[in-house]
Amino acid sequence: MSTPDRRRRTTMQHHDRAAAEKSAMRRALVLAATPGVPMVADTRRVGCVLLAPDGGVVAEGHHRGPGTPHAEAAALDVAGERARGTTAVVTLEPCHHTGRTGPCTEALIAAGVSRVVYAESDANPVAAGGRARLEAAGIDVDAGLLADEAAALADVYRLAAREQRPFVTWKFATTLDGRSAAADGTSRWVSGRAARLDTHRLRARCDTMLVGTNTVAVDDPQLTVRDAEDRPLATQPLRAVMGERDLSSDRRIFDASLAGGAPSVHLRTRDPAAALAELFALDRQHVFLEGGPTLAAAFLTAGLVDEIVVYVAPFLLGAGRSAVADLGITTIADAFRPVVTDVTVLPGLDGEEPDVRLVLTPPSTHEES
Ligand code: AOF
Ligand code: ZN
């Protein structure tokens, strides 16, 4: 009698654990992308969350640049004795070498961590071997959770280091007929709640949100990252606006109190390359471009979009503003054709219809990597 019951309970627990570890990995990815870490080509951006057996967060840590503690060491330091028996959720396989700091494997073993879940394997031959070492010490190891997202994050910093400019993700929402605003200018909300939550998740993994002066003047966005309850997160990306037009200081982007004191900047240029150079000088490595169709067209024609995220909402407007301004294309043979790297259906929340999210890579950057 009790056997099937017990089995069901075990399965449930396993399901809960998987869910807790997945959400911890999402958090670790955000930690890995913490704004303001200086750009150094050979440094990985890594995040770590320590979970108690009941799924609660015990401590968090991230790597802050060369010579500073690795993510695991940073989290273990916060946890102290409470690290014993926890699960370490890390975006990268713990290193097994003494580089500028000691091996994370030994630190995790010494702290009494009982399970390690990581996303990406460490391809650096010098640091590799972490998994085998942890398993030999009797630690339960699981690899590959959200590995594609961790790899995408690593690509961001690799490109920034190579190009010496921030990686640019252009995000927009559109109707089935390619409209981002209705004829009267209204654009709230094109996408559903599921897509808006997903946007905040992606915003949290960049260090800068960029719009044009027109968007600030007309839409007056807050440009903050908020959680599902609409509360701003503790760490906010830089809010940037670009363009020569003067803006009234009462715009919400300039209100630091909305973003937990986080700053904003007005880049007085219309040139995408110049704007990115200014942001790179501020240690910015990942720009989330959310400006209107004119700004998008300027970045696309300058070849300065590295990734496109589109939320397609299932309705028609028939008239209204296009998602992107004129690209100078007059015939179909000349169409701008990015490569689709992901298609995800976001189930509708609160009875809404689903949205579809496409992730695409523009042809030129795709060929390079
Ligand atoms: C981890 N956790 O947070 C990071 C890791 O010279 P070092 O000591 O900083 O080592 C750099 C190498 O260590 C780097 O190339 C990568 O393989 C790994 N980075 N490993 O366990 C971390 N940042
Ligand atoms: Zn390490």
Side-chain angles (χ1 to χ4, degrees):
M1 274 279 292
S2 72
T3 313
D5 255 14
R6 204 164 42 233
R7 197 176 298 141
R8 192 169 61 226
R9 207 158 46 232
T10 313
T11 319
M12 282 258 310
Q13 282 168 350
H14 189 264
H15 174 265
D16 289 349
R17 186 178 84 172
E21 289 175 354
K22 192 167 178 182
S23 94
M25 187 63 85
R26 291 212 159 111
R27 174 68 189 149
L29 286 162
V30 170
L31 291 165
T34 302
V37 172
M39 162 61 61
V40 179
D42 72 339
T43 296
R44 292 295 304 257
R45 304 279 304 252
V46 183
C48 174
V49 174
L50 296 178
L51 287 183
D54 71 358
V57 174
V58 171
E60 300 180 338
H62 69 277
H63 185 50
R64 295 165 192 266
T68 68
H70 282 185
E72 300 90 320
L76 290 172
D77 191 44
V78 172
E81 269 307 306
R82 292 175 301 131
R84 193 157 300 280
T86 59
T87 294
V89 178
V90 204
T91 57
L92 181 69
E93 180 181 3
C95 69
H96 184 48
H97 81 308
T98 300
R100 287 169 277 210
T101 62
C104 290
T105 45
E106 307 314 309
L108 291 162
I109 294 163
V113 166
S114 54
R115 178 170 154 80
V116 172
V117 179
Y118 64 83
E120 259 200 297
S121 297
D122 195 337
N124 175 3
V126 178
R131 177 181 197 153
R133 170 65 186 129
L134 292 168
E135 282 176 341
I139 292 179
D140 185 26
V141 181
D142 210 343
L145 179 61
L146 300 183
D148 50 346
E149 298 190 25
L153 197 68
D155 283 346
V156 164
Y157 301 109
R158 213 170 284 131
L159 181 136
R162 186 178 74 223
E163 304 289 326
Q164 293 288 296
R165 64 159 175 85
F167 182 102
V168 177
T169 297
W170 169 39
K171 170 253 152 181
F172 66 99
T174 173
T175 64
L176 290 176
D177 53 334
R179 314 278 171 183
S180 285
D184 68 353
T186 47
S187 59
R188 300 188 108 177
W189 302 98
V190 171
S191 50
R193 198 168 113 79
R196 295 201 299 278
L197 286 175
D198 194 68
T199 298
H200 281 276
R201 221 162 56 72
L202 296 184
R203 277 181 173 181
R205 290 188 202 174
C206 69
D207 57 31
T208 306
M209 292 176 287
L210 179 62
V211 295
T213 46
N214 197 48
T215 296
V216 171
V218 175
D219 296 345
D220 194 18
Q222 302 184 44
L223 282 191
T224 53
V225 185
R226 298 183 297 277
D227 65 15
E229 278 76 49
D230 220 37
R231 291 175 305 226
L233 301 189
T235 306
Q236 293 286 332
L238 177 69
R239 299 173 294 163
V241 52
M242 65 178 278
E244 283 153 3
R245 168 175 176 181
D246 285 327
L247 291 166
S248 151
S249 60
D250 70 0
R251 301 286 84 184
R252 297 200 287 182
I253 189 176
F254 301 126
D255 185 349
S257 71
L258 291 173
S264 48
V265 58
H266 183 170
L267 309 166
R268 293 197 176 260
T269 176
R270 282 193 296 182
D271 173 20
L276 292 182
E278 277 193 57
L279 291 170
F280 195 66
L282 296 171
D283 277 331
R284 302 292 125 177
Q285 292 143 35
H286 189 183
V287 166
F288 207 62
L289 186 67
E290 297 196 75
T294 314
L295 196 60
F299 273 78
L300 286 167
T301 48
L304 289 171
V305 171
D306 304 302
E307 176 186 55
I308 304 171
V309 177
V310 193
Y311 298 95
V312 182
F315 65 91
L316 294 165
L317 281 169
R321 194 174 69 194
S322 163
V324 62
D326 192 356
L327 296 173
I329 298 165
T330 54
T331 187
I332 202 128
D334 294 343
F336 181 88
R337 293 180 191 274
V339 175
V340 177
T341 56
D342 182 69
V343 180
T344 300
V345 176
L346 303 169
L349 299 172
D350 312 331
E352 291 178 340
E353 290 297 303
D355 287 305
V356 178
R357 184 189 67 192
L358 299 173
V359 181
L360 311 100
T361 307
S364 57
T365 51
H366 185 81
E367 279 156 22
E368 272 172 45
S369 51

